[in-house]
Amino acid sequence: MNLSYLFDAAHWSLSTDGSIPQLILSHLWYVVLALIIGTVIALPVGLYIGHTGRGSFLAINAGNAGRSLPTLGLLMLMVTLLGLGLTPVLIALTVLVIPPILTSAYAGMRTLDRRVVDAARGMGMRPSQVLLRVELPMALPVMMSGFRSAALQVVATATVAAAVGLNGLGRLLIDGLAVNDYSRVLAGAIVVAVLAVVLDLILALAQRWIVSPGLSGRFR
């Protein structure tokens, strides 16, 4: 196993074009953009469906459709229609983000203890208050699990951006294969895996901080 590329200090210099830190920052930029756009689209829809019970087939089928879509194929289709650039990549990654967030928001709302919701309504809370003060906080554990799943999928899949000439950790894979530099390919694979683990740990800590101790089993 040749790890010379990974441990070469020259490849970790921020001042060097195409260095690993620069590629990580580009990679994270695509991930963050896709997560923001996907969350803005999917979360309100999932909350609405879960709150009202209308259109539940959409949430269920969205999860199945999202898992079956080939991201690289969708990216190539977007490139054919829109040309090269960041937009096709963001569309492909956002389509990947939407299903887990949509289905987790729906599932989180539908698995609530309805007695608590009915009690809130009995206390005179308006529908918006029930949603924001009762249902949403109680659904957070399930919703956060969906967000973490989406983040991990996007971190792993954002490497496809290199296939259309953009930066990101996929450059190590694409460029390494192009010149048969398998040390570079291995470095890219390792960095992507480590980045995914670190991001998941950060989101796990965020979940621990955001979710009420009583809901996460930490209540003492």
Side-chain angles (χ1 to χ4, degrees):
M1 183 181 294
N2 187 353
L3 298 176
S4 59
Y5 191 96
L6 182 63
F7 292 111
D8 188 341
H11 297 142
W12 289 92
S13 174
L14 281 171
S15 60
T16 303
D17 290 338
S19 65
I20 293 176
Q22 287 188 357
L23 296 178
I24 290 175
L25 291 176
S26 298
H27 196 91
L28 286 175
W29 176 240
Y30 306 147
V31 171
V32 169
L33 284 178
L35 285 173
I36 291 174
I37 297 171
T39 301
V40 168
I41 294 172
L43 186 59
V45 176
L47 291 177
Y48 173 79
I49 295 173
H51 180 69
T52 63
R54 301 171 184 169
S56 57
F57 69 96
L58 175 63
I60 297 171
N61 292 327
N64 296 330
R67 283 188 288 268
S68 63
L69 275 176
T71 304
L72 185 59
L74 178 60
L75 175 60
M76 293 300 107
L77 175 61
M78 291 298 102
V79 168
T80 302
L81 296 176
L82 303 175
L84 296 175
L86 181 59
T87 301
V89 173
L90 284 182
I91 292 176
L93 295 180
T94 300
V95 169
L96 187 68
V97 167
I98 289 175
I101 293 180
L102 176 61
T103 54
S104 65
Y106 165 76
M109 297 291 285
R110 300 308 294 176
T111 55
L112 297 178
D113 188 342
R114 305 315 299 179
R115 292 173 297 181
V116 177
V117 178
D118 292 339
R121 289 171 177 161
M123 293 172 60
M125 284 189 174
R126 294 189 296 272
S128 60
Q129 292 177 315
V130 173
L131 174 63
L132 297 177
R133 297 184 182 181
V134 179
E135 292 179 320
L136 186 57
M138 292 178 63
L140 269 179
V142 178
M143 292 166 55
M144 281 299 298
S145 67
F147 186 82
R148 288 170 62 182
S149 175
L152 290 178
Q153 291 182 50
V154 174
V155 167
T157 310
T159 53
V160 300
V164 293
L166 296 183
N167 281 328
L169 293 172
R171 288 256 61 92
L172 298 175
L173 306 177
I174 298 293
D175 296 345
L177 288 173
V179 296
N180 293 326
D181 185 355
Y182 296 107
S183 176
R184 189 187 305 188
V185 174
L186 183 59
I190 292 174
V191 174
V192 170
V194 172
L195 184 63
V197 172
V198 171
L199 181 60
D200 190 54
L201 289 175
I202 292 173
L203 291 176
L205 291 175
Q207 179 176 346
R208 185 178 178 86
W209 180 71
I210 294 172
V211 176
S212 169
L215 295 174
S216 61
R218 294 182 286 115
F219 181 78
R220 294 179 294 186

